Amino acid sequence: QWLLTGSNDMSVRLWETGTGKSVFSLPTIDYITAVAFDPQLRFFALGGYNRNGRGDSLTIVDFRTRQVIKRFATDPDKGNASGLDITFS
């Protein structure tokens, strides 16, 4: 089983719940406000904001390789730096 956490230290961590150990850390360019897995554990998504003019974003990461697949600018709050919410269906 897995737990995915995001943080205002501009990183995401994947934890193995059975051992409590962090098995992966990904530095980001955003303060992370939301994380989600897709139901088949193929991907995970990160949502966040930054304060250096890039706006809010959504990043899709391959679960197996831990490589960033795509980053999307979202700007749902028009620059209020509150991030966004994510869900897979």
Side-chain angles (χ1 to χ4, degrees):
Q1 300 294 338
W2 304 104
L3 173 67
L4 186 64
T5 61
S7 175
N8 274 350
D9 71 357
M10 301 174 88
S11 72
V12 172
R13 286 182 180 79
L14 182 65
W15 303 84
E16 188 177 280
T17 58
T19 64
K21 293 183 180 181
S22 174
V23 295
F24 170 73
S25 179
L26 175 70
T28 70
I29 61 172
D30 295 319
Y31 299 100
I32 302 302
T33 60
V35 295
F37 290 107
D38 87 294
Q40 289 78 39
L41 293 178
R42 295 171 298 174
F43 311 103
F44 57 89
L46 322 170
Y49 69 93
N50 64 68
R51 294 196 171 125
N52 51 12
R54 287 195 219 76
D56 296 351
S57 69
L58 171 69
T59 303
I60 306 296
V61 180
D62 183 287
F63 184 84
R64 187 180 57 78
T65 67
R66 301 345 190 243
Q67 297 296 309
V68 172
I69 296 171
K70 181 79 175 174
R71 184 175 186 276
F72 302 90
T74 58
D75 289 328
D77 61 17
K78 304 296 183 209
N80 293 327
S82 62
L84 62 142
D85 295 321
I86 304 169
T87 187
F88 280 97
S89 61

